[in-house]
Amino acid sequence: MAKQPTTSELEILNILWEKECATVREVFEIISETKSITYTTVLKLMQIMTEKDLVEREEQGKAHLYRAKIAQTETQKGLVSELLEKVFRGSAMQLVQHLLETKKTSPQEMKEIRKMIQKAEKEAKNE
Amino acid sequence: MAKQPTTSELEILNILWEKECATVREVFEIISETKSITYTTVLKLMQIMTEKDLVEREEQGKAHLYRAKIAQTETQKGLVSELLEKVFRGSAMQLVQHLLETKKTSPQEMKEIRKMIQKAEKEAKNE
DNA sequence: TGACATCTACGAAGCAGTTCGTATATCATC
DNA sequence: GATGATATACGAACTGCTTCGTAGATGTCA
């Protein structure tokens, strides 16, 4: 399995996944709304991420345009299964249980989760 | 929120939670079944964990007896909500969805998860 | 009591992630 | 073409985690 991105990298990836592509300045603007950080720090992070092949960049004019190179879904799956193993030793049920207790999950959301599971159960039967 | 334990610390905590209490040697024996590591490394980790107040120790005779000082449930909850925020921006549904896709969740386990959610839904109604 | 096994204490190295300062390149525009 | 704003490149410091070697304390038993 591929190595998981760090916390800072994930923060940047989240922005890139949402915006499709972005310059360092754009990423910097968004992050600095919630966090004190300098422009060059974000730049350096994104340069390192380029080396690691987490993102790719296109050199258009002065500023480079960055794009995520790893898929959001795959990354999320990887992080979930890591947590599942490390913290719950593989017990998906325990994970969900804590999830429901932790967050004040809205009734609406709960309903959706239940539907999703019922759908998954049905599909499992038909295979 | 309290700082989350690191990966190595969690590995040790899992053992202490299961065994109630243990010496460094016992922890070392268990970890070294699956991983190449020296005795003093485990010792050092557990000493640091003592400083951090993650575990406490009782000095009985030569070897110290260690015990987890933080609760398993609380730690698990903390780690889940951290993941929920960082990776899914708070969407519990997305997390569960990836969970079901990632792991080949057994039909039995799926059924249990569904029951758990239905129970949670019922309880939410009665409040 | 002396030798040996086993324990704790502790310093230090190595590595990865994060942060920032400074140097240098590039572009627009006057 | 000089100036200023804005970009990238890069080195370096700092921190925290992990790992291990060595030194010294402690208990056991012949």
Side-chain angles (χ1 to χ4, degrees):
Chain A
M1 193 184 13
K3 203 164 159 297
Q4 301 302 343
T6 68
T7 303
S8 307
E9 287 168 351
L10 198 59
E11 203 173 357
I12 292 172
L13 283 170
N14 274 327
I15 294 169
L16 293 180
W17 283 326
E18 190 163 323
K19 286 179 64 71
E20 182 71 32
C21 65
T23 62
V24 175
R25 173 127 327 249
E26 290 171 312
V27 172
F28 165 71
E29 294 294 350
I30 294 173
I31 294 182
S32 59
E33 279 170 18
T34 58
K35 191 179 166 185
S36 165
I37 196 168
T38 65
Y39 177 85
T40 50
T41 300
V42 178
L43 170 65
K44 180 70 165 185
L45 281 171
M46 292 174 78
Q47 284 172 342
I48 291 171
M49 289 169 78
T50 308
E51 281 171 27
K52 289 189 186 173
D53 237 28
L54 296 176
V55 299
E56 61 189 350
R57 72 182 170 195
E58 196 177 303
E59 315 201 354
Q60 53 132 36
K62 189 163 61 162
H64 297 174
L65 201 57
Y66 287 80
R67 205 179 298 271
K69 209 173 167 183
I70 58 172
Q72 181 172 28
T73 314
E74 292 313 307
T75 307
Q76 289 174 329
K77 272 189 200 166
L79 290 164
V80 170
S81 41
E82 192 180 295
L83 185 85
L84 186 64
E85 284 315 312
K86 279 199 322 198
V87 181
F88 297 97
R89 306 203 179 196
S91 162
M93 203 185 97
Q94 269 190 56
L95 202 168
V96 176
Q97 191 173 344
H98 281 292
L99 189 63
L100 295 180
E101 285 172 14
T102 297
K103 216 202 146 211
K104 288 279 164 272
T105 314
S106 69
Q108 173 64 18
E109 200 170 15
M110 262 195 217
K111 194 176 158 191
E112 277 167 10
I113 293 175
R114 176 170 47 79
K115 277 188 183 166
M116 197 175 64
I117 290 176
Q118 286 170 337
K119 194 173 153 231
E121 279 185 288
K122 230 179 233 169
E123 278 167 12
K125 236 178 222 168
N126 296 341
E127 266 163 23
Chain B
M1 193 185 13
K3 204 164 159 298
Q4 301 302 342
T6 68
T7 303
S8 307
E9 289 169 351
L10 198 59
E11 203 174 354
I12 292 172
L13 283 170
N14 274 327
I15 294 169
L16 293 180
W17 283 326
E18 190 163 324
K19 284 178 66 71
E20 183 72 30
C21 66
T23 62
V24 176
R25 173 127 330 249
E26 289 172 313
V27 172
F28 166 71
E29 295 294 350
I30 294 174
I31 295 183
S32 59
E33 278 170 19
T34 58
K35 191 178 164 184
S36 165
I37 196 167
T38 66
Y39 176 85
T40 50
T41 299
V42 178
L43 170 65
K44 179 71 166 183
L45 280 171
M46 292 174 78
Q47 284 173 343
I48 291 171
M49 289 169 77
T50 308
E51 281 172 27
K52 289 189 188 172
D53 236 30
L54 296 177
V55 299
E56 62 188 351
R57 72 184 170 192
E58 196 177 303
E59 315 203 352
Q60 52 131 38
K62 190 162 61 160
H64 297 175
L65 201 57
Y66 287 79
R67 205 179 298 272
K69 207 172 169 183
I70 58 172
Q72 180 172 29
T73 313
E74 292 314 306
T75 307
Q76 288 174 328
K77 272 190 200 167
L79 290 166
V80 169
S81 39
E82 191 179 294
L83 185 85
L84 186 64
E85 284 314 312
K86 278 198 324 197
V87 180
F88 297 98
R89 306 202 179 197
S91 163
M93 201 185 99
Q94 269 189 57
L95 202 168
V96 177
Q97 191 173 345
H98 281 291
L99 189 63
L100 295 181
E101 286 171 13
T102 297
K103 217 204 147 209
K104 287 281 163 270
T105 314
S106 68
Q108 173 63 18
E109 200 169 13
M110 262 195 221
K111 194 175 157 192
E112 276 168 11
I113 293 175
R114 175 169 48 79
K115 275 188 184 165
M116 197 174 64
I117 290 177
Q118 286 169 336
K119 193 173 153 231
E121 279 184 291
K122 231 179 233 169
E123 278 168 12
K125 234 178 225 170
N126 296 341
E127 267 164 24

